[in-house]
Amino acid sequence: SVVKIYPELDYHFFIIADLDERVRRKCMQYDNKETFEEIKNNISIRDKLQKEAGFYEYSDITIEVDVTDCKTVEESSKKVLDFIKLPQTV
């Protein structure tokens, strides 16, 4: 568990997005050099392997953030940062 590895951890985020949206973004990244179905298959295989290896472990402090609807990296980042509470100053 991530909390066992990092016991002082204040936040643990698990960023998710719909599979088809992840594939669409990856297609853009690869300039459509691979087909939608090829990329979808590769991502599905990777997700399965990572899940079996324990990469998708949640703890009691895990915050799942769905960025499917975010149109930019900045928008995704803001969605995550909105969960972080800064210390209050006097």
Side-chain angles (χ1 to χ4, degrees), residues 6-86:
Y6 301 105
E8 302 297 319
L9 198 64
D10 291 325
Y11 297 95
H12 177 240
F13 293 103
F14 195 81
I15 315 276
I16 64 166
D18 175 76
L19 177 60
D20 284 344
E21 179 60 21
R22 291 166 51 215
V23 173
R24 186 189 70 74
R25 292 172 185 176
K26 195 59 79 172
C27 284
M28 288 175 23
Q29 180 182 352
Y30 291 153
D31 292 327
N32 295 309
K33 291 180 180 147
E34 292 186 48
T35 68
F36 186 90
E37 288 306 317
E38 288 172 322
I39 292 174
K40 187 172 187 175
N41 184 54
N42 289 340
I43 289 175
S44 294
I45 290 169
R46 184 196 65 202
D47 285 352
K48 181 178 183 279
L49 291 172
Q50 287 181 340
K51 184 175 184 176
E52 289 171 357
F55 284 103
Y56 297 166
E57 216 174 284
Y58 284 59
S59 74
D60 59 339
I61 67 165
T62 301
I63 300 168
E64 186 176 274
V65 182
D66 188 337
V67 296
T68 300
D69 61 338
C70 297
K71 302 299 180 215
T72 64
V73 172
E74 293 79 12
E75 192 177 339
S76 298
S77 299
K78 182 181 178 335
K79 197 166 186 177
V80 172
L81 290 172
D82 284 346
F83 285 96
I84 297 176
K85 308 224 181 327
L86 298 175

